[in-house]
Amino acid sequence: MNIESNVIDTALIFEGGGMRAAYTSAVVTTLLGEGIFFDYVAGISAGSSNLANYVSRDPVRAHRSFVDFSADPQFGSWGTWAQGKGLFNAEYIYEQAYFPDGALPFDTEMFMANPARIRIGAFDVSAGQTVYWSRKDVKGAADLMTRVRASSSMPFFMPPTMIGSSMYIDGALGAGGGIPLPIAIKDGYEKFFVVLSREKSYMKQSHAGMDLALKAWFHTYPTIAEGIARRPSEYNATRYQLMELQRQGRAYLFYPEHMTLTNRTRDVSMLQAAYDMGLNQARQELPRWKEFLNLA
């Protein structure tokens, strides 16, 4: 299988955001539909699902992952949360549905054949910092989906993910605040195409006043409480850094024009409407994308 990349000097970066990715998954379908294939892709949390669908070059799965799939009876509920499986039933979503006969089949062959470098970020609870997995950590779909699950394991709403003897949780708790810009810079990139799941004006509010509650809830794992408390400043600093990179002409930032979803929205009609808005915006911006990527 001859799979090639045609954007080799720019990092594609996906922010997380839970079900807000219904909007940004439309960017995945548009990039794939236009034959825009990045050679480097980084994602955190829901952004890691966008990464998986993009690298496997599956626009149908990109849409279904954040729209239709939410109607699956096994997707999760407060009932599964009470059972310890999570408000989003992580084991089912990430480690069962991807099989060929599952609810959300994954094209493993295409993913493995694609030469693009990948980076999936998750928060190592013991170390208290974000770790990034790459191709060398992924021997097949099981390795990939376990890491996507780890990256997406939202504190409180989903249980941590164990890989080996280590415990991981949502990568948004570490450096970058959920936007994997730091690893792309570390990996040597100077240009960035960044898909954000919050509007341009958004800045994250401090958790001041919640420190005691966070420490009490996560008393067994204090690094989680610390990561949550630290996240607003990390996130906002990364957004400011991206704005400066954009001013320098080194970053293209895709901001949703109107974000109507929360990270836990399950209403299929709302998710579809957000996807449609994202698709319309992506098509409008496409000429600017191609100009920035020297594909015009």
Side-chain angles (χ1 to χ4, degrees):
M1 188 180 296
N2 184 21
I3 307 297
E4 297 181 351
S5 303
N6 57 7
V7 180
I8 60 174
D9 64 342
T10 304
L12 173 60
I13 295 173
F14 288 110
E15 180 183 4
M19 300 309 292
R20 294 186 189 94
Y23 197 112
T24 56
S25 65
V27 175
V28 175
T29 61
T30 303
L31 290 171
L32 293 175
E34 291 296 320
I36 301 174
F37 304 129
F38 288 79
D39 198 47
Y40 179 99
V41 192
I44 282 178
S45 197
S48 66
S49 288
N50 273 337
L51 176 155
N53 294 328
Y54 175 79
V55 176
S56 66
R57 298 192 178 178
D58 193 339
V60 174
R61 193 178 194 275
H63 169 265
R64 291 192 62 227
S65 293
F66 291 102
V67 181
D68 309 299
F69 191 37
S70 67
D72 189 308
Q74 298 186 69
F75 193 79
S77 64
W78 285 112
T80 55
W81 181 85
Q83 296 168 18
K85 297 178 180 179
L87 181 63
F88 298 94
N89 186 355
E91 183 177 359
Y92 174 73
I93 292 169
Y94 300 106
E95 298 186 47
Q96 296 176 13
Y98 76 86
F99 288 110
D101 60 349
L104 197 65
F106 182 72
D107 192 337
T108 306
E109 183 180 4
M110 179 65 81
F111 183 91
M112 298 305 293
N114 192 326
R117 299 170 65 192
I118 63 166
R119 287 293 200 169
I120 296 173
F123 187 78
D124 184 323
V125 174
S126 294
Q129 63 185 19
T130 302
V131 299
Y132 284 94
W133 293 297
S134 65
R135 282 279 184 187
K136 66 181 177 61
D137 302 298
V138 176
K139 309 304 181 188
D143 289 338
L144 172 67
M145 291 303 174
T146 302
R147 285 159 176 78
V148 171
R149 173 182 173 176
S151 181
S152 307
S153 296
M154 292 188 290
F156 181 76
F157 296 108
M158 298 164 74
T161 300
M162 297 298 300
I163 299 179
S165 60
S166 297
M167 178 183 290
Y168 298 94
I169 206 158
D170 197 310
L173 272 61
I179 305 171
L181 177 65
I183 191 63
I185 292 173
K186 183 178 179 180
D187 285 340
Y189 283 83
E190 297 182 353
K191 283 186 66 179
F192 313 92
F193 188 97
V194 187
V195 183
L196 300 163
S197 59
R198 293 283 198 172
E199 293 149 311
K200 186 175 182 178
S201 61
Y202 179 80
M203 286 290 164
K204 198 168 287 295
Q205 299 301 306
S206 168
H207 294 299
M210 295 179 59
D211 289 355
L212 290 177
L214 287 171
K215 289 177 180 178
W217 185 266
F218 296 107
H219 64 277
T220 306
Y221 306 111
T223 58
I224 296 179
E226 292 163 4
I228 294 172
R230 188 172 56 237
R231 189 186 174 205
S233 60
E234 288 279 353
Y235 181 85
N236 294 341
T238 303
R239 294 267 296 205
Y240 284 124
Q241 185 178 8
L242 286 171
M243 292 174 195
E244 176 59 22
L245 288 168
Q246 182 182 50
R247 189 190 66 78
Q248 296 172 10
R250 294 171 53 199
Y252 187 99
L253 308 182
F254 177 91
Y255 296 104
E257 292 175 348
H258 304 288
M259 179 48 67
T260 59
L261 308 175
T262 73
N263 61 354
R264 302 184 301 282
T265 300
R266 291 283 300 278
D267 185 291
V268 174
S269 62
M270 292 181 64
L271 296 168
Q272 181 63 52
Y275 175 86
D276 291 340
M277 285 191 287
L279 194 62
N280 182 62
Q281 181 181 341
R283 288 169 175 166
Q284 290 180 353
E285 293 188 20
L286 184 60
R288 283 179 279 157
W289 295 4
K290 291 184 175 180
E291 182 179 3
F292 177 76
L293 298 170
N294 296 316
L295 296 174

